[in-house]
Amino acid sequence: MGTILIIGACGQIGTELTKKLRELYGKDNVIASDVRKGDPEFVASGPFEVVNALDFNQVEEVIEKYKVAEVYLMAALLSATAEKNPAFAWDLNMNSLFHVLNLAKAEKIKKIFWPSSIAVFGPTTPKQNTPQYTVMEPSTVYGISKQSGERWCEYYHNIYGVDVRSIRYPGLISWSTLPGGGTTDYAVDIYHKALSDGSYTCFLSEDTRLPMMYMDDAIRATIEIMQAPAENIKIRSSYNLSAMDFTPKEIAETIKQHIPDFTIAYEPDFRQKIADSWPQSIDDSHARNDWNWQHQYGLDAMTTDMLEHLSSMAE
Ligand code: AKB
């Protein structure tokens, strides 16, 4: 077996994914890469290369240098940041994908993981229990890039036999790494502020319901879809994936069970419109049937775990 390359390893998902893959496959078999060096401890924890995901030659060189067989392409601009820089978001989110798809087509790598998102859905999509196959008219540049990417993944699989696998992540919540530039980021910030300030001002309104997932579940899903036999992966665009859904008011209530004096205020900004265009809950029965997906964390268990970890980090 060749090695594994993570592109965008210093981001919210990339950091956790790198750690887990190194535990499973050994640190020297998992190459972390990002456009710049991140946390020095993380960079020193195993092989690390500075790679610009937009530079085909740099990506190809690192693949050849380490005899890479599998690529996890985690570099992307998320929904809120992408709205501020649509041209760059489109460039990064699409061309980094083309680079790895073309390297797989040329048989330089064997398998690709590429993350999609609930952002592929739009205001005309059914909001509750959103099906795998449904109306998809995304209204954000991030959503448009993810929807287009899904079509290209399926195309490269059908026409060139590329083994590409993908998940439509909901909002992801983790204690160890901060998210960057998403609409669901409030659900991470709220825990930090609850502990540091005892209060939080939310940029979404109190009843904005969104699909969410704890990072432990998301990392497990990512590795499980990659480990599944190829014949079980029947969807080569991207799988709906679900664990829980909640509103800012509901997450605040669970925090109050641990920090009774916690208060929350609401000042919706431009991200409200993005959130309003997304599903409130997701039907992920295809992932459950095809490769046995099962989530472990709900809102209460996640809140307990988040607060425990963040409190002990602060000590
Ligand atoms: C975002 O908010 O942009 C991301 C996502 C749902 O893909 N967390």
Side-chain angles (χ1 to χ4, degrees):
M1 171 184 160
T3 63
I4 294 173
L5 172 67
I6 297 141
I7 301 176
C10 294
Q12 188 200 15
I13 310 174
T15 312
E16 305 263 330
L17 188 59
T18 305
K19 283 183 198 152
K20 192 72 205 174
L21 288 170
R22 283 184 173 157
E23 261 171 54
L24 287 172
Y25 298 112
K27 82 173 166 53
D28 291 332
N29 292 319
V30 180
I31 322 306
S33 76
D34 210 304
V35 68
R36 62 186 70 85
K37 289 186 174 172
D39 171 42
E41 203 187 315
F42 175 70
V43 171
S45 67
F48 185 94
E49 295 281 336
V50 172
V51 172
N52 178 356
L54 282 173
D55 185 328
F56 181 87
N57 293 333
Q58 276 186 26
V59 178
E60 188 179 34
E61 265 168 37
V62 83
I63 282 171
E64 283 172 355
K65 176 173 170 189
Y66 290 97
K67 300 191 175 22
V68 171
E70 294 183 15
V71 173
Y72 291 72
L73 174 58
M74 311 313 286
L77 236 57
L78 298 186
S79 57
T81 318
E83 287 309 293
K84 296 192 167 154
N85 200 345
F88 178 63
W90 177 256
D91 186 23
L92 175 63
N93 294 2
M94 294 311 300
N95 286 321
S96 60
L97 175 60
F98 277 125
H99 292 343
V100 292
L101 287 174
N102 284 327
L103 286 160
K105 181 184 164 198
E107 298 185 2
K108 301 214 166 182
I109 48 176
K110 292 195 171 70
K111 218 190 259 188
I112 299 168
F113 178 82
W114 177 77
S116 187
S117 160
I118 55 163
V120 293
F121 301 115
T124 52
T125 302
K127 282 203 175 303
Q128 267 86 37
N129 227 13
T130 300
Q132 175 73 36
Y133 300 107
T134 184
V135 180
M136 291 166 87
E137 296 182 316
S139 54
T140 61
V141 65
Y142 175 62
I144 295 168
S145 71
K146 289 295 177 187
Q147 189 197 29
S148 309
E150 286 191 6
R151 303 316 320 141
W152 280 111
C153 287
E154 191 182 88
Y155 184 87
Y156 269 69
H157 176 75
N158 289 343
I159 305 296
Y160 307 122
V162 167
D163 189 354
V164 53
R165 304 170 183 211
S166 177
I167 284 169
R168 291 173 181 153
Y169 287 128
L172 299 182
I173 295 134
S174 61
W175 54 268
S176 69
T177 320
L178 289 171
T183 301
T184 57
D185 294 7
Y186 89 85
V188 179
D189 300 341
I190 193 169
Y191 290 110
H192 287 266
K193 287 280 174 357
L195 286 168
S196 62
D197 302 356
S199 65
Y200 178 64
T201 303
C202 185
F203 57 75
L204 298 181
S205 65
E206 61 178 2
D207 292 325
T208 309
R209 180 171 299 284
L210 286 170
M212 300 278 186
M213 182 175 287
Y214 200 35
M215 188 60 86
D216 296 44
D217 275 342
I219 297 298
R220 199 166 41 76
T222 306
I223 293 173
E224 282 176 8
I225 193 177
M226 286 295 272
Q227 288 177 336
E231 60 273 19
N232 289 24
I233 308 302
K234 301 198 171 81
I235 294 173
R236 294 298 183 148
S237 51
S238 190
Y239 277 92
N240 274 9
L241 196 75
S242 167
M244 62 182 119
D245 51 85
F246 55 77
T247 65
K249 194 173 166 186
E250 287 168 356
I251 191 174
E253 288 305 323
T254 65
I255 292 174
K256 271 189 201 164
Q257 286 166 19
H258 299 259
I259 307 172
D261 292 337
F262 174 66
T263 58
I264 182 162
Y266 302 94
E267 283 178 18
D269 66 13
F270 72 100
R271 289 168 279 195
Q272 184 66 47
K273 198 169 160 206
I274 301 177
D276 288 342
S277 77
W278 288 351
Q280 297 185 342
S281 59
I282 297 285
D283 170 8
D284 63 354
S285 45
H286 285 270
R288 289 178 193 264
N289 291 336
D290 289 359
W291 45 277
N292 274 330
W293 161 244
Q294 284 176 20
H295 73 276
Q296 283 174 358
Y297 283 86
L299 178 55
D300 289 336
M302 177 178 77
T303 296
T304 305
D305 206 59
M306 280 293 284
L307 292 174
E308 262 173 35
H309 277 105
L310 290 177
S311 311
S312 58
M313 276 166 79
E315 275 161 17

